[in-house]
Structures are given as C-alpha cells and as structure tokens.
Amino acid sequence: MTPQDQTDDLGQPIFYNDEIEPQYLIKESKFLLLSFLTFGLYPIWWIYKAWVFFIQKEGSNANPAIRVLFNLFFMLALLTRIRQFAIQEGYKGSNFPVISYILIIGVSMCSFFPPPFFLLSLSSCLFFLPSVSALNYGLQESSEVRSYEDDGLSTRQIILVVIGLILWGLIVIGLLSS
C-alpha cells in the first residue's frame, strides 16, 4: 500500500492497496438501462468486474472468467461477499443474497417461455440492485480502494446503447409482424 495525495477527515493520509485497480461505481439507473438494452448481458460484465475486485482484494489466484462461466454455482458466493464487504464498511441497507440469488435464477428461467413472455427474464436485473448498491457503498467507503463516480455514458456504453436500441427495434418489428 502506498500513500496517496489525499487525506481523510482527520488529516491522516489515505492508503490505497495498489493490488486493487481503481473501481468505477455504476449508478443503479445506469445498471438497469444497460441491462435492459443488452438483453441481460450487462450483469454478466458487472459480475465479472465484481469478481476481479474481490480476487484482487483477497490476493487470490482464482480466475474470474471461470467464476462467470459457472455463475450459477458462484453467484451466491459473490452476492454474499458483496454483502459482507459492505457491512464491514458500515452499510446499513437491506441486502439479502439468498433471496436475490433465488429471484435472479427464478426470473431468468422465464427466458424459456414462448415469445413475447420470454422478455420477462429481463426483469432479473432488478434483483441485482441491492448488491449493486451495497458494492457501490463499500467501494466508496473503503479506505484501501480508489473509486470513481461513473457519470454519463462511456464510449463503449454509448455503443452498447445504440446496438441495444437497434436490436430492440428489430425485436418489436418481429413481434408485431408475427
């Protein structure tokens, strides 16, 4: 850990863990928008980035891509770690990982429904919100993590929005024509 050019409220230097890359906080509304427009793929990216953070924080040599690939088995562990990390940093909000996990998996099963009911599966991103909020809080309050507010849309996110809008337009046209 090295001292940064900032100090806390008591005038003490802040020490960041150099093993942890800077973390970008995503607003819940932006998370929902990107999740909806990418047909539920954005939460996979968020899960990957959350695993990268915890692996760096713990100094583990685990592979975050493998954890995402087998997300069904590892997601509850991630949601629980997020809750524990946030509580350790003083989080007082509601966050129930087991309930979120069950609802995410259950609602995701709607993807097997026939059109247009398969679109209900997109609402699974709503059940990530308590964990998104808790992780954001923990990252903001942690003294060893450098975090940044993610204002506006990045170039990659704008590209995702444009592609998502095009795909949504094609889906609506396809549903109306059948």
Side-chain angles (χ1 to χ4, degrees):
M1 289 189 222
T2 61
Q4 302 299 323
D5 58 351
Q6 299 177 356
T7 58
D8 64 9
D9 294 338
L10 301 174
Q12 301 294 325
I14 297 175
F15 291 90
Y16 293 117
N17 184 341
D18 289 337
E19 301 296 318
I20 302 173
E21 64 187 37
Q23 300 295 308
Y24 291 92
L25 310 174
I26 184 163
K27 294 179 183 172
E28 290 87 353
S29 58
K30 187 186 215 180
F31 179 85
L32 287 175
L33 173 72
L34 293 172
S35 298
F36 184 72
L37 289 177
T38 61
F39 300 94
L41 294 178
Y42 188 78
I44 295 170
W45 174 252
W46 179 84
I47 289 168
Y48 173 78
K49 294 302 283 182
W51 272 122
V52 167
F53 165 70
F54 282 108
I55 288 169
Q56 289 174 350
K57 183 179 183 316
E58 296 164 3
S60 171
N61 62 355
N63 186 335
I66 296 296
R67 294 192 179 216
V68 171
L69 187 62
F70 295 103
N71 191 35
L72 182 64
F73 305 108
F74 288 107
M75 187 175 12
L76 182 57
L78 175 64
L79 298 177
T80 303
R81 280 187 184 167
I82 290 171
R83 181 176 190 268
Q84 290 168 345
F85 172 65
I87 288 172
Q88 173 186 336
E89 297 299 333
Y91 186 67
K92 304 283 187 224
S94 299
N95 184 358
F96 304 101
V98 174
I99 294 172
S100 293
Y101 174 76
I102 291 169
L103 291 171
I104 290 166
I105 299 300
V107 173
S108 295
M109 293 298 164
C110 292
S111 64
F112 296 113
F113 290 176
F117 302 108
F118 71 91
L119 295 174
L120 291 172
S121 66
L122 296 179
S123 65
S124 69
C125 64
L126 293 171
F127 306 110
F128 278 100
L129 290 181
S131 294
V132 170
S133 178
L135 184 59
N136 283 347
Y137 180 88
L139 292 172
Q140 281 178 318
E141 297 300 317
S142 177
S143 61
E144 67 176 326
V145 179
R146 184 179 296 121
S147 63
Y148 300 98
E149 292 285 332
D150 194 11
D151 295 331
L153 292 173
S154 69
T155 304
R156 288 184 293 181
Q157 291 168 339
I158 291 171
I159 292 169
L160 278 176
V161 168
V162 170
I163 292 171
L165 289 172
I166 291 169
L167 291 174
W168 270 106
L170 292 173
I171 285 177
V172 169
I173 290 170
L175 290 173
L176 292 176
S177 68
S178 58

